[in-house]
Amino acid sequence: QSASSAMRRVFLATALLAASARGKVYVKEDFSGDWEKRWVVSDWKKDEGQAGTWSVTAGDFYGDAEADKGLKTMDDARFYAISTSFEDFSNEKSPLVVQFSVKHEQNIDCGGGYIKLFPKGVDQAKLHGGENEDKYNIMFGPDICGFTKRTHVIFNYKEKNHLITKEVPCKSDQLSHVYTLIVHPDRTFEVLVDGESERKGSIIEEFDMLPPKQIKDPAQSKPEDWVDERMIDDPEDVKPDGYDDIPKELADPDATKPDDWDDEDDGEWEPPMVPNPEYKGPWTPKRIDNPAYKGVWEHPMIDNPEFSDDESIGKYPSFAVAGFEVWQVKSGTIFDNLIITDDPAEAEALRKATWEKNKDAEKAMKEKIDEEKAKEAEAAAEADEDDDEEDVEEEELDEGDMKDEV
């Protein structure tokens, strides 16, 4: 019995250790059940008749008709704002991970597919963007308009929004794709699309939040006698005598006056001109290495006296609301499988259990639908062609009847 008790204690200890090692999940949303009780639709733009409506659906093609249901934008040329609240937390000492899937089923031409993370205190019923928008901590996700197709990563710092300085691509087809942002306490970040890393690095280096650590020394300037011309004209290379006298064109020596040429009627005959093989263009001296060349002058750098590091960058004392606040010209985007956690493994597990499980079936269903549409279009085109031929035949018959009557 003592051995059994010992094994039980070991089992319980292992279970507790495993539980403690698991990350904290603040939001895990698949838009099933009473999702409307968990989300608040904002009144923003309703009075102006420009607020879009939402619906939960798997769309026209999917991998699993039930599991792939998500939140869909339903009206063209509308503003959308919807949000959910969760336990208030800070990412000052632990990672922040936000992940969700986006399916631009409508083949979006211009519109956002991003999420915003807000601190505690935002009024969800009046959540709004545009001028005087609700202040958010982070904005993340795809944004497409014309040829611009990128994944937004924006951090708010000292009441100003800072967009990543490097271009992060996004997917622009009609299938589901998963976007993941990981923010670490050491002020580094990583963006993944469909589980593949698209951009990672230092928030300090990838975002213009702080002044540069070093600047050009204002007390230094390039010396007046600094020679930075690598090549010079060869002073010993002299233009040959008579070089400029060589004509660009010559009278064609092989040309002869036509037999039917009449000097009185046609004027004095002149042979056509042809390029002169001896002509070599304007003369230029040879170029040689400059013996006085000192290289490219580099401005000396000094530490920037205005630079002051800030350990708080990328860290926020409060996260309590997440919202999709976008504008779309063409509606039809489906958001799904949102997770906010402090453990990248939790997000990876959800991605594998949802998107990776169903993506191939979704693609196959779409390809089948596209194939059927192509066949229908081909059949319709053939029918139109047959109708056109019948019309021509009828016209020809009518013309024949008219001739007979005549």
Side-chain angles (χ1 to χ4, degrees), residues 196-300:
E196 299 294 329
S197 181
E198 289 291 346
R199 190 80 197 174
K200 62 180 178 179
S202 166
I203 298 176
I204 303 298
E205 296 174 359
E206 301 271 333
F207 295 80
D208 291 331
M209 299 183 187
L210 299 177
K213 290 183 179 181
Q214 289 196 317
I215 59 172
K216 294 178 179 179
D217 186 352
Q220 298 286 338
S221 59
K222 185 171 70 172
E224 293 182 1
D225 61 349
W226 187 274
V227 179
D228 54 11
E229 188 177 9
R230 183 187 295 272
M231 305 290 289
I232 60 172
D233 293 343
D234 184 355
E236 298 182 1
D237 189 20
V238 180
K239 181 167 60 175
D241 292 337
Y243 186 92
D244 293 337
D245 297 331
I246 301 173
K248 187 176 181 179
E249 292 182 323
L250 296 172
D252 187 355
D254 297 326
T256 57
K257 185 169 68 172
D259 294 337
D260 58 351
W261 187 273
D262 189 318
D263 290 340
E264 292 184 2
D265 293 337
D266 301 327
E268 184 179 355
W269 179 82
E270 294 181 356
M273 303 298 286
V274 294
N276 184 358
E278 300 297 324
Y279 179 75
K280 298 179 180 179
W283 183 84
T284 55
K286 292 187 297 185
R287 302 283 288 174
I288 61 172
D289 291 334
N290 187 354
Y293 176 67
K294 294 183 178 181
V296 178
W297 186 77
E298 295 183 3
H299 203 128

Side-chain angles (χ1 to χ4, degrees), residues 360-373:
D360 291 339
E362 177 189 90
K363 182 179 180 181
M365 185 174 182
K366 182 183 183 306
E367 289 175 347
K368 184 177 180 181
I369 291 174
D370 290 345
E371 184 179 347
E372 291 174 352
K373 287 182 178 179

Side-chain angles (χ1 to χ4, degrees), residues 329-341:
V329 174
K330 189 189 298 183
S331 64
T333 297
I334 299 176
F335 300 97
D336 200 7
N337 293 314
L338 168 64
I339 184 171
I340 300 175
T341 177

